[in-house]
Amino acid sequence: MALLSFLFNNKPKTANMAKERLQIIIARERTGRDGYDFLPALREELIAVISKYTKVNAEDIKVSLDKQGNLEVLDVNVVLPDLEVRN
Amino acid sequence: MARIIVVTSGKGGVGKTTSSASFASGLAMRGHKTAVLDFDVGLRNLDLIMGCERRVVYDLVNVISGEATLNQALIKDKHCDNLFILPASQTRDKDALTEDGVEKVLNDLIKMDFEYIVCDSPAGIERGAVMALTFADEAIVVTNPEVSSVRDSDRILGIIQAKSKRAQAGGEPVKEHLLITRYSPKRVEAGEMLSHTDVQEILRIPLIGVIPESEAVLHASNQGNPAIHMKGSDVSDAYGDVVSRFLGQDIPLRFINYEKPGLLQRIFGGK
């Protein structure tokens, strides 16, 4: 077996794996630092605006930033309270 | 106008001190008055690499605390008349490096007409490393073509972009340079090692040079001579190219392609 692999020199080419893994982890680590520190303030203002029109709990508003390929997606998720049933 | 250059990496053991010593020596060999400062308080090694360990009397922390003057602490290099070494303290803890203290030392060096001040950063992202990069005009980020080194380089770039005085002032940012060390063209060609273009594509900063993996580096440190003085070696030429590029020359990369040894070389094992 050792002789075979010596003859055919089929050492694994792992550099590509290293590159792919680095691209993914570094992209993720960069989103934390590249100027997206406005998220908490954005969330506060969204709560204020939405509260003007409907009653909403602060913890029912979630703001997050995700990266999908080259696209960055700002995800705002608001859970509206159940409407009170009127008689 | 003096320039302050930090040599940094995040990860340890990638060649920061080797590179600081050769880069500072190279600048001095081209006639520029240069100082090289060791910021690794508690684990100093620049003095050993520069071969001046037995001449250390005072250090950076002595100067900051006023126990010695800069003139007393600076050690003149044995090869270059216009190169001076400021060693780190071996005994104190790293909290001795205060921002005001470091700023004063750097300003005093500028008043002494130093053209280039090279700051050899410790590994990690703690006080010593942050102090080394805080006042930098330019940064040389030393990276090995290996996953943990590349990731840590990206991390330290983030810290430069957040914590340096230039970043905080919001003007011209710190000029960043990528220096790839311990590069093996043979392994890159075999697909076993990240290529310099891979690393550059990931880190997205301009490349200032590629230093090949070489036995000459150990020989140099054994003797206490910066590797750039190992005349005729690839490493010496590669560091010389780095200095030329830093000073504005546009020269092509060398030592990035693997040359198969010829038949005679294979038989006689020549290098």
Side-chain angles (χ1 to χ4, degrees):
Chain A
M1 202 57 203
L3 181 69
L4 271 180
S5 64
F6 175 76
L7 283 175
F8 295 103
N9 191 22
N10 56 355
K11 275 192 197 164
K13 293 188 193 302
T14 49
N16 285 335
M17 260 174 82
K19 188 179 178 186
E20 279 169 31
R21 290 175 59 221
L22 275 168
Q23 280 170 328
I24 292 166
I25 190 66
I26 284 178
R28 197 206 292 176
E29 286 173 350
R30 274 181 190 160
T31 50
R33 68 169 206 239
D34 284 354
Y36 291 113
D37 45 2
F38 60 79
L39 286 183
L42 176 69
R43 185 170 171 276
E44 288 305 309
E45 286 187 39
L46 279 174
I47 292 170
V49 171
I50 295 167
S51 307
K52 266 168 71 178
Y53 299 95
T54 177
K55 266 203 214 158
V56 66
N57 290 324
E59 58 268 27
D60 289 335
I61 300 181
K62 292 194 174 67
V63 180
S64 66
L65 195 76
D66 277 320
K67 192 156 184 155
Q68 297 170 358
N70 287 326
L71 276 183
E72 285 175 47
V73 180
L74 178 67
D75 187 16
V76 180
N77 194 348
V78 184
V79 181
L80 291 174
D82 291 333
L83 288 175
E84 284 169 33
V85 184
R86 287 183 199 167
N87 295 329
Chain B
M1 190 58 202
R3 299 290 282 176
I4 300 171
I5 305 112
V6 62
V7 177
T8 187
S9 70
K11 190 175 182 296
V14 298
K16 279 182 298 299
T17 303
T18 299
S19 297
S20 298
S22 285
F23 179 65
S25 298
L27 288 170
M29 287 155 74
R30 310 281 172 101
H32 300 286
K33 188 175 175 186
T34 305
V36 57
L37 279 59
D38 191 349
F39 276 76
D40 203 345
V41 173
L43 290 169
R44 77 163 169 235
N45 276 316
L46 182 67
D47 55 338
L48 264 184
I49 300 300
M50 299 294 298
C52 65
E53 69 279 6
R54 286 171 34 173
R55 290 192 286 148
V56 175
V57 182
Y58 296 111
D59 57 55
L60 176 61
V61 173
N62 291 137
V63 177
I64 287 176
S65 62
E67 295 157 4
T69 64
L70 251 182
N71 271 317
Q72 288 175 307
L74 285 171
I75 302 169
K76 193 174 175 181
D77 182 56
K78 59 185 181 185
H79 297 282
C80 309
D81 285 344
N82 49 1
L83 175 60
F84 292 83
I85 300 125
L86 183 56
S89 169
Q90 188 68 306
T91 50
R92 305 290 190 81
D93 71 302
K94 57 187 182 295
D95 293 335
L97 284 183
T98 60
E99 192 174 306
D100 292 345
V102 171
E103 185 170 26
K104 184 169 186 307
V105 169
L106 294 171
N107 283 335
D108 289 349
L109 286 168
I110 293 168
K111 282 186 209 140
M112 292 166 76
D113 291 326
F114 278 98
E115 290 171 76
Y116 295 105
I117 302 166
V118 179
C119 301
D120 181 23
S121 172
I125 52 172
E126 286 180 40
R127 187 172 196 91
V130 174
M131 282 302 117
L133 65 80
T134 298
F135 300 98
D137 299 306
E138 309 200 26
I140 294 180
V141 178
V142 183
T143 307
N144 291 165
E146 175 271 329
V147 286
S148 50
S149 175
V150 175
R151 182 199 210 171
D152 291 357
S153 291
D154 192 67
R155 189 99 164 78
I156 208 79
L157 283 167
I159 291 171
I160 292 169
Q161 288 153 18
K163 294 199 176 166
S164 63
K165 288 286 167 201
R166 276 178 177 263
Q168 290 183 341
E172 181 90 359
V174 176
K175 193 173 176 190
E176 297 157 345
H177 308 274
L178 173 63
L179 177 62
I180 300 178
T181 57
R182 310 198 66 166
Y183 194 75
S184 168
K186 185 182 178 187
R187 302 197 72 185
V188 170
E189 196 156 294
E192 298 171 14
M193 182 183 267
L194 291 165
S195 71
H196 63 91
T197 48
D198 289 339
V199 177
Q200 209 190 344
E201 208 179 296
I202 293 164
L203 292 177
R204 295 188 228 148
I205 60 171
L207 185 65
I208 197 168
V210 177
I211 311 295
E213 171 83 74
S214 166
E215 293 173 9
V217 173
L218 183 59
H219 287 308
S221 73
N222 285 343
Q223 302 168 63
N225 287 328
I228 198 167
H229 292 305
M230 303 295 281
K231 291 278 168 331
S233 69
D234 290 2
V235 170
S236 167
D237 291 346
Y239 275 119
D241 287 358
V242 169
V243 174
S244 299
R245 289 188 197 103
F246 183 83
L247 294 173
Q249 287 181 43
D250 184 18
I251 47 175
L253 288 172
R254 290 195 277 173
F255 316 115
I256 50 168
N257 295 313
Y258 175 57
E259 284 158 32
K260 278 209 162 123
L263 184 65
L264 284 176
Q265 252 183 320
R266 279 209 254 177
I267 293 170
F268 295 110
K271 277 183 201 132

